[in-house]
Each structure stands twice: as structure tokens, then as C-alpha cells.
Amino acid sequence: MECMITRRLQNYYQNHFSIKKKLATGEKLKIGIVTGDTGDTNVGRDIVGWFRHHNEYESGIELYLYTNKPSDGSVFFRDIQKNCKNIHEIQSLSDLSAANLIHSHGIYILINLNGYTKYSRNEIFAMRPAPIQINFKGYPGTLGVSWMDYILGDEITTPFENEYHFSEKIIQMPHGYFMASYPDVFPHILDPEYMKQFTVESRQKWGLPVDKFIFADFNHLRKVTPSLYKTWMNILKSVPESVLWLLRLPEEAEEYLRKEARNNGVDPDRIIFTNFAPIKDHLAVKSLADLFLDTIVFNAHGTAMDSFWAGLPILTTLGDQLHKRVTADFLTILGVPELIARDLEDYEEKAISLAKDSIRGGDQLKQLRKKIEEGRQTSPLFDTLR
């Protein structure tokens, strides 16, 4: 993976920065975060709580944020501005100038929140401006390069027996790796008065049927494989009182999925597409579904956290790579391992069984939802401070 350009940068600049190995006595540990995902994005919302609570609990640590994108003016970016004294926009700086800036601040640990995603600045890391450089969160996998030292994970997403898959050394976080800020950003979801707007009876307002069992998937279409979609169609055929709820797609994509439903013996009208809800409501709207069917080759990550915060159960499998193990990780932390299937066949059987039990008036899903709702406030998953 390590491209020729970054190898040349590393070779050319590896001696450019004099890296100190130890902090002086009484010196604060300076941690830098490089990202282009500040503001109204999944990652941008997730890091709000890091800065909001940092000064209260980490007096020996100083945080620096290096953002590779101008402020979007969102409430989330303004919250970070209010709580972080050291914000530096680097989108107009060259890689060398940005690396010089970071090094001049005495950053000891530098975190890469983008990896190989949009707005990444990996060339900065190739110059080694900090003695310890960590791959975290934005790219769920190894960067495959020599200039990233560690990757943050946990015992489920990055078990040590899988370390040979990573160029980085694995650091396992004790309470889960994801680290989000839902209690800070979306506290209204825990308000019973607010959530009264989102009952089975209110489904019609959002274009959903009141009298059907609703399977849902809120992931990007590119995560849906033909074999998974066929499994979904098998589930719908086995549960005739159900529909599949997907987010609005380009017209040609929706038409293709309807055609494939028809080819699999499913009435295409049972595939329901709806528009994105406004940011304040988009989590609560997810609670109107009965069961979220996760994508297998690349799990829901931020979308899973959104759905769990809304109390929605998610059915998934435990894959063999980090990005295929994330939802199972969340379910384990929440104390709901019952929703982790062994494989795609077991996934299909579990989905059918849970739906039929619910339609018959059983309480299996209700109990799972109750455990998730309780886990939002008792488990470490949404505990930013922990």
C-alpha cells in the first residue's frame, strides 16, 4: 500500500525533525488530531465530546486539532471551537509546512482520523512530525505503511491473533474502541416527551406502513452485495407481513432493486425508500423500524451507533476483518450478543424467527430493544468519559 510518493517523502524527511523520546518532568502530553471531518459529519459529531470534557478530566494532556477543511459553521464545529484552545486550519498549507507546524507545537502523539478517506493528509504523517503516530476511527483497517505506529481497536474488532493483518501495532481499548459523543450531541433522544412523536402510529408521517413488520437498512448501497440482497428477499418471502425500508437512492438504483425484488419473487412495492430526515430527527426516525438488517462485507459503523442510540436492534454477523466486526463489537458491549449471527444462513434464520415472533405478539424483540435502551446509559458504548 505504501505508495512511491510517501516512501520518497519519508526517506527525504526522516531526519528533518529531531524527535524527543521522553517528556520532561512536569511537561504536558500534547496530542494532535489531524482530520478533514470536523463539523456536521459522523466523525465531526463524534469528537465533540472529546473536547467538551477534556479540560475537566485530563489536566496533564493538551489537545491540538489540525483541520484540513474550513469550518462549515455547524453547531458541532462551533462546539469544538468553544472547547479547544488549539485549532489550526491546515488545508491551505503544504504537507511540509503543516508537518513543521505540528512539530513546532511539540506534539508527542499524532492521531490520523482520516486514513485513506476524503480530506486525508497522509503525506504529513509520512514526514514523521511526531514520535508516536496512531491510526484511528476514520479508516477501519490498516494503512499498510511503516510511518503509522499503532492502530486503536479492542478485543473484538482487533484481536491480537489478527495482528499479522496490520502494519501497525494494535492497542486494545478496554471499553470499546469507537468513542463517540451521543449524550452531548443528541441528548434529546433520551427525552420521553420528545420520543412520543415517534410511535408505530406515527409511521405514516414518514412514509412507512403502520400495520407491517419493518426490516430496515440505513447503510450505503455500495455495502449491499447481491448475495445479501437475495438473503433479504428470502426473509421478505418468509415473512409476508413485512417490508424492507431503505433510504432514498438515485432513481436508477431504486428501479434496479425493485427489479431484483421482482426477480426474486417479492412484490417491489414492499421495498420502501424514504428521504433523509432533518438532522435533529434522523436518529429518532430510525426507531420506527423493527429490526435493522446490517450489511456483512462492511458493517454499519456510525449508522449503527445512531440506530442503537435510538434503541433500534441490529442483526449482524462477526466477520474476519475489522470493518466486518464493528456492529458485533457494539452489540457485545451493549450486552446483546443474541443479535450476532454465525453466518449468512443463521442471519436469515434469526431475522425470520424474530419477525414471526413479533407478529405473533411475542416479546423477543421488545426484550432486546429494552436491553439496548438500558445499555445506552449503563454500558461503556456511549460513555464518552470512560
Side-chain angles (χ1 to χ4, degrees):
M1 280 189 196
E2 196 164 5
C3 72
M4 185 180 298
I5 294 174
T6 52
R7 281 202 306 272
R8 286 177 178 171
L9 281 168
Q10 185 186 18
N11 292 336
Y12 187 78
Y13 291 110
Q14 61 183 345
N15 296 317
H16 183 81
F17 301 109
S18 57
I19 300 296
K20 59 184 178 183
K21 300 299 182 184
K22 288 186 178 180
L23 292 175
T25 303
E27 183 182 2
K28 282 191 174 184
L29 173 63
K30 294 182 178 181
I31 299 176
I33 299 167
V34 179
T35 182
D37 283 326
T38 48
D40 191 6
T41 68
N42 277 338
V43 173
R45 295 189 290 270
D46 284 345
I47 65 177
V48 164
W50 303 5
F51 296 96
R52 185 180 289 187
H53 300 293
H54 163 260
N55 291 330
E56 302 171 43
Y57 296 94
E58 298 292 351
S59 58
I61 297 175
E62 197 169 345
L63 289 183
Y64 286 70
L65 177 64
Y66 303 96
T67 175
N68 193 39
K69 190 175 67 174
S71 167
D72 62 1
S74 67
V75 63
F76 310 110
F77 192 89
R78 293 199 304 272
D79 198 288
I80 292 174
Q81 284 180 313
K82 176 183 174 183
N83 293 294
C84 180
K85 293 181 270 186
N86 304 301
I87 298 181
H88 302 272
E89 292 190 4
I90 60 170
Q91 71 272 7
S92 61
L93 298 182
S94 69
D95 296 322
L96 179 57
S97 295
N100 273 322
L101 177 68
I102 291 166
H103 182 69
S104 73
H105 292 152
I107 300 300
Y108 199 79
I109 298 174
L110 189 62
I111 297 174
N112 187 340
L113 273 188
N114 279 108
Y116 296 121
T117 62
K118 192 175 181 181
Y119 300 113
S120 65
R121 296 293 296 272
N122 291 314
E123 291 80 4
I124 294 172
F125 289 84
M127 297 180 199
R128 279 274 180 194
I132 298 174
Q133 302 191 151
I134 297 177
N135 170 19
F136 179 47
K137 197 175 176 65
Y139 183 79
T142 183
L143 297 189
V145 294
S146 59
W147 30 267
M148 296 304 300
D149 303 302
Y150 299 96
I151 182 169
L152 290 187
D154 55 41
E155 62 181 1
I156 293 176
T157 55
T158 53
F160 287 126
E161 59 264 31
N162 286 358
E163 196 159 28
Y164 67 95
H165 287 307
F166 297 86
S167 61
E168 306 91 341
K169 293 178 182 177
I170 292 172
I171 298 175
Q172 289 187 346
M173 304 296 284
H175 303 298
Y177 90 103
F178 200 76
M179 295 174 66
S181 303
Y182 286 81
D184 295 299
V185 176
F186 298 114
H188 58 282
I189 298 299
L190 300 183
D191 179 359
E193 286 302 311
Y194 168 77
M195 290 302 292
K196 281 180 181 178
Q197 307 170 65
F198 302 92
T199 62
V200 171
E201 292 72 26
S202 70
R203 282 176 171 178
Q204 232 171 358
K205 172 185 173 183
W206 301 97
L208 301 168
V210 173
D211 59 345
K212 301 292 183 185
F213 184 94
I214 298 181
F215 294 106
D217 178 74
F218 303 118
N219 285 304
H220 290 292
L221 178 61
R222 59 178 174 267
K223 296 183 179 182
V224 181
T225 62
S227 61
L228 179 63
Y229 194 70
K230 184 172 179 58
T231 296
W232 289 352
M233 296 305 99
N234 292 342
I235 293 168
L236 290 183
K237 282 190 289 187
S238 297
V239 188
E241 307 92 335
S242 68
V243 297
L244 176 62
W245 174 20
L246 303 174
L247 293 178
R248 179 69 65 198
L249 297 166
E251 185 177 346
E252 58 272 23
E254 292 185 9
E255 184 53 41
Y256 178 80
L257 292 180
R258 288 193 180 99
K259 183 184 76 173
E260 286 302 303
R262 189 181 297 109
N263 291 343
N264 280 279
V266 174
D267 182 348
D269 288 341
R270 293 176 64 192
I271 315 299
I272 298 173
F273 300 92
T274 67
N275 293 320
F276 287 83
I279 186 66
K280 182 185 177 185
D281 297 332
H282 87 281
L283 269 69
V285 170
K286 289 177 170 62
S287 70
L288 298 176
D290 292 295
L291 182 62
F292 185 142
L293 299 176
D294 196 17
T295 45
I296 304 307
V297 297
F298 198 115
N299 291 167
H301 292 200
T303 302
M305 292 288 282
D306 286 353
S307 301
F308 286 135
W309 189 242
L312 175 61
I314 305 179
L315 180 64
T316 193
T317 62
L318 179 65
D320 58 355
Q321 295 170 285
L322 194 164
H323 57 278
K324 301 178 184 179
R325 303 171 71 88
V326 171
T327 307
D329 184 42
F330 298 161
L331 284 165
T332 302
I333 297 169
L334 282 168
V336 197
E338 305 95 313
L339 287 168
I340 305 171
R342 295 186 305 275
D343 50 34
L344 202 53
E345 183 179 351
D346 188 38
Y347 172 101
E348 182 177 324
E349 290 173 1
K350 282 180 180 289
I352 293 167
S353 175
L354 286 168
K356 287 187 173 180
D357 176 76
S358 182
I359 291 166
R360 289 193 300 265
D363 68 349
Q364 290 182 36
L365 263 180
K366 286 180 182 177
Q367 290 303 315
L368 292 170
R369 189 182 282 261
K370 182 180 178 183
K371 287 172 75 173
I372 290 168
E373 289 174 344
E374 291 173 350
R376 293 179 301 187
Q377 299 185 75
T378 59
S379 83
L381 187 63
F382 294 103
D383 189 340
T384 309
L385 301 183
R386 202 183 314 187

